[in-house]
């Protein structure tokens, strides 16, 4: 049983070490590896085709062989779709990136990219359809030899899932909200927080649909902005809707003595009932093995977040590999080094939290001449350490970062509102990588 003491960052951060975290909350055994599941799906499809042939035509069972034609065709279609995705996705992303800023051509390249992105979904649909026909084949085959085929097809259908989309609602301007179901309980709104790591809710969000089982750990933690809590960790499932269900994963349930304060704090975050921390190397609370890394297929590879897709009031979260080409990246997700320039001053290299739950962010007092607040009209520009501009904005009376005297600078929601951002979990070492994508 492991107790984690940490302060995470769903609002303005408390004073902390100015060095980005080097701890990883990603699973280490096994680590998240890119595109392994698709390769397994192709092997399982080939296995299913071979065994289906052997149990029908190969055994001289002509009726079963005739009925098996449809699932064989569907299995072939699934393999073709996955193979085509593997060979076409990188060129499609490259063309989309090269045509950025070129009207009409860029839009056409986007259509081609969407077509490539849909191929794994077509494969999954074909596999699920094949599974519907297999019991009929089994009725004609008669010996039970179709069961291994059914097992291979159902497993391949899980492994063929490359992307999965979840709608995001922006509340109170800065708060990205999605709905999850935990342990089969009620649908619960949670804040998507790249600035923390670990799902934290109260028991009211879990319900009593099924027993939780024995606890697996405890957490003592807090969120800057006024909440400190203790929680008990349980292993259960998290359902994001649309058939996106995790395997067994960790959920932190706030202990009863802190539940009322926690729920009141969460409700301030756009009406949330909990926090879904998806950062790889955030301050905590953990434990290792996030719900987003327990998803089936290659959905566990990372999280794509585009908050401003629909006029700034709604967006999407996509699980899986990065669906869009990247403009640039920084090491760490969310803790990383960035260069921040105030007006026309020279950029300052700072440790930072690239934080979707960071509201309007923070800035160091030393960067604005020791002032206690950022003057309206100040221009803040944020770059990668090697000088690539990520985003820039002018401070207003509403969109104004909080001044801190020490600790990690917090970007707030700004980078996620300026364009799509992808958190990659497959980076060796488990620190994650933050990619800033072409829109």
């Amino acid at each position: 049983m492991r107790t984690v003491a940490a302060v995470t960052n769903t609002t303005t951060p408390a004073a902390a070490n100015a060095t980005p975290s080097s701890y990883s909350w990603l699973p280490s055994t096994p680590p998240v590896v890119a595109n392994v599941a698709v390769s397994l799906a192709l092997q399982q499809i080939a296995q299913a085709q071979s065994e289906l042939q052997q149990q029908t035509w190969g055994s001289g069972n002509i009726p079963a062989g005739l009925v098996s034609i449809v699932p064989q065709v569907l299995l072939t279609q699934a393999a073709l779709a996955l193979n085509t995705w593997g060979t076409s996705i990188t060129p499609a992303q490259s063309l989309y990136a090269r045509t950025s800023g070129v009207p009409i051509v860029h839009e056409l390249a986007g259509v081609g990219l969407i077509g490539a992105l849909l191929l794994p979904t077509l494969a999954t649909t074909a596999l699920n359809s094949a599974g519907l026909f297999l019991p009929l084949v089994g009725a004609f085959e008669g010996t039970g030899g179709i069961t291994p085929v059914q097992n291979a097809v159902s497993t391949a259908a899980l492994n063929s899932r490359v992307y999965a989309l979840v709608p995001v609602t922006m509340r109170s301007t800065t708060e990205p909200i999605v709905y999850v179901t935990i342990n089969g309980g009620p649908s619960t709104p949670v804040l998507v927080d790249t600035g923390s790591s670990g799902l934290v809710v109260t028991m009211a969000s879990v319900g009593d649909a099924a027993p939780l089982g024995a606890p697996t750990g405890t957490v003592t933690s807090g969120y800057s902005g006024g909440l400190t809590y203790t929680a008990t960790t349980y292993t259960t499932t998290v359902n994001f809707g649309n058939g996106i269900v995790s395997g067994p994963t960790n959920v932190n349930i706030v202990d009863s003595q802190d539940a009322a304060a926690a729920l009141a704090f969460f409700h301030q975050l756009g009406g949330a009932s909990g926090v879904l921390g998806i950062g790889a190397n955030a301050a905590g609370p953990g434990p290792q093995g996030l719900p987003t890394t327990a998803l089936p297929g290659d959905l566990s590879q990372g999280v794509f977040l585009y908050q401003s897709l629909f006029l700034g009031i709604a967006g999407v979260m996509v699980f899986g590999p990065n669906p869009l080409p990247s403009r640039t990246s920084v090491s760490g997700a969310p803790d990383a080094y960035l260069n921040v320039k105030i007006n026309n001053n020279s950029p300052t290299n700072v440790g930072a939290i690239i934080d979707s739950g960071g509201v309007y962010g923070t800035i160091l007092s030393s960067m604005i001449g020791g002032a206690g607040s950022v003057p309206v009209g100040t221009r803040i520009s944020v770059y990668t350490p090697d000088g690539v501009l990520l985003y820039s904005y002018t401070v207003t009376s509403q969109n104004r970062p909080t001044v801190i005297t020490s600790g990690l600078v917090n970007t707030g929601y700004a980078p996620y509102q300026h364009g799509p951002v992808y958190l990659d979990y497959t980076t060796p070492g488990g620190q994650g990588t933050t990619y800033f994508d072409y829109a």
Side-chain angles (χ1 to χ4, degrees), residues 285-324:
Q288 280 187 302
L290 311 177
T292 45
T293 64
L295 294 170
D298 284 325
L299 303 184
S300 63
Q301 286 186 207
V303 182
F304 171 91
L305 186 58
Y306 194 0
Q307 295 183 174
S308 61
L309 180 61
F310 300 108
L311 304 176
I313 60 174
V316 295
M317 181 168 67
V318 179
F319 301 118
N322 193 354
L324 295 182

Side-chain angles (χ1 to χ4, degrees), residues 376-419:
V376 171
T378 300
R379 190 71 179 170
I380 298 177
S381 302
V382 180
Y383 301 80
T384 64
D386 56 357
V388 178
L389 178 66
L390 298 176
Y391 62 93
S392 184
Y393 67 98
T394 299
V395 172
T396 66
S397 58
Q398 179 183 14
N399 184 10
R400 175 160 31 184
T402 299
V403 175
I404 58 174
T405 58
S406 64
L408 296 172
V409 167
N410 192 307
T411 65
Y413 87 121
Y416 298 91
Q417 200 68 10
H418 277 76

Side-chain angles (χ1 to χ4, degrees), residues 247-261:
T249 190
N250 298 308
V251 176
N252 298 312
I253 301 177
V254 178
D255 292 344
S256 58
Q257 69 271 17
D258 296 326

Side-chain angles (χ1 to χ4, degrees), residues 131-404:
L132 295 176
F133 280 92
L134 289 175
L136 182 59
V137 178
F140 282 90
E141 189 269 340
T143 68
I146 296 300
T147 299
V149 179
Q150 292 175 302
N151 293 338
V153 170
S154 62
T155 306
L158 288 176
N159 286 328
S160 68
R161 297 202 70 173
V162 177
Y163 308 105
L165 183 149
V166 175
V168 173
T169 302
M170 296 302 298
R171 295 183 183 171
S172 303
T173 304
T174 64
E175 312 294 350
I177 301 294
V178 299
Y179 282 80
V180 300
T181 298
I182 302 165
N183 198 49
S187 180
T188 299
V190 292
L191 176 76
V192 180
D193 184 26
T194 63
S196 66
S197 305
L199 176 56
V200 182
V201 295
T202 63
M203 186 61 78
S205 297
V206 178
D208 55 2
L212 273 171
T216 59
T218 59
V219 169
T220 300
S221 190
Y223 295 101
S224 57
L227 175 66
T228 301
Y229 65 89
T230 59
T232 302
T233 304
Y234 292 89
T235 300
T236 184
T237 58
V238 178
N239 187 336
F240 292 89
N242 300 320
I244 310 167
V245 184
S246 77
T249 190
N250 298 308
V251 176
N252 298 312
I253 301 177
V254 178
D255 292 344
S256 58
Q257 69 271 17
D258 296 326
L263 196 58
F265 180 85
F266 295 152
H267 281 172
Q268 297 175 28
L269 308 174
S273 295
V275 175
L276 175 65
I278 62 173
N281 68 332
Q288 280 187 302
L290 311 177
T292 45
T293 64
L295 294 170
D298 284 325
L299 303 184
S300 63
Q301 286 186 207
V303 182
F304 171 91
L305 186 58
Y306 194 0
Q307 295 183 174
S308 61
L309 180 61
F310 300 108
L311 304 176
I313 60 174
V316 295
M317 181 168 67
V318 179
F319 301 118
N322 193 354
L324 295 182
S326 172
R327 291 191 298 113
T328 188
S329 65
V330 294
S331 178
D335 285 15
Y337 284 103
L338 299 174
N339 282 351
V340 179
K341 185 169 77 170
I342 307 298
N343 293 324
N344 293 320
N345 298 333
S346 298
T348 301
N349 185 255
V350 295
I353 308 167
I354 307 169
D355 188 0
S356 66
V359 193
Y360 296 109
T362 64
I363 201 77
L364 289 167
S365 176
S366 59
M367 299 173 67
I368 53 172
S373 63
V374 183
V376 171
T378 300
R379 190 71 179 170
I380 298 177
S381 302
V382 180
Y383 301 80
T384 64
D386 56 357
V388 178
L389 178 66
L390 298 176
Y391 62 93
S392 184
Y393 67 98
T394 299
V395 172
T396 66
S397 58
Q398 179 183 14
N399 184 10
R400 175 160 31 184
T402 299
V403 175
I404 58 174

Side-chain angles (χ1 to χ4, degrees), residues 45 48 52 67-79 120-138 146 149-150 152-158 160:
I45 291 170
L52 185 57
V67 178
S68 73
I69 291 175
V70 172
Q72 283 284 21
V73 169
L74 290 168
L75 291 172
T76 299
Q77 290 177 345
T121 301
L122 295 177
T124 304
T125 301
L127 287 165
N128 287 331
S129 299
L132 295 176
F133 280 92
L134 289 175
L136 182 59
V137 178
I146 296 300
V149 179
Q150 292 175 302
V153 170
S154 62
T155 306
L158 288 176
S160 68

Side-chain angles (χ1 to χ4, degrees), residues 74-151:
L74 290 168
L75 291 172
T76 299
Q77 290 177 345
L80 177 62
L82 290 177
N83 280 314
T84 304
W85 171 80
T87 57
S88 65
I89 186 61
T90 299
Q93 289 178 330
S94 178
L95 179 61
Y96 188 72
R98 294 197 312 271
T99 58
S100 178
V102 182
I104 301 178
V105 177
H106 187 61
E107 283 71 21
L108 291 173
V111 172
L113 177 55
I114 290 173
L117 295 173
L118 289 174
L119 287 169
T121 301
L122 295 177
T124 304
T125 301
L127 287 165
N128 287 331
S129 299
L132 295 176
F133 280 92
L134 289 175
L136 182 59
V137 178
F140 282 90
E141 189 269 340
T143 68
I146 296 300
T147 299
V149 179
Q150 292 175 302
N151 293 338

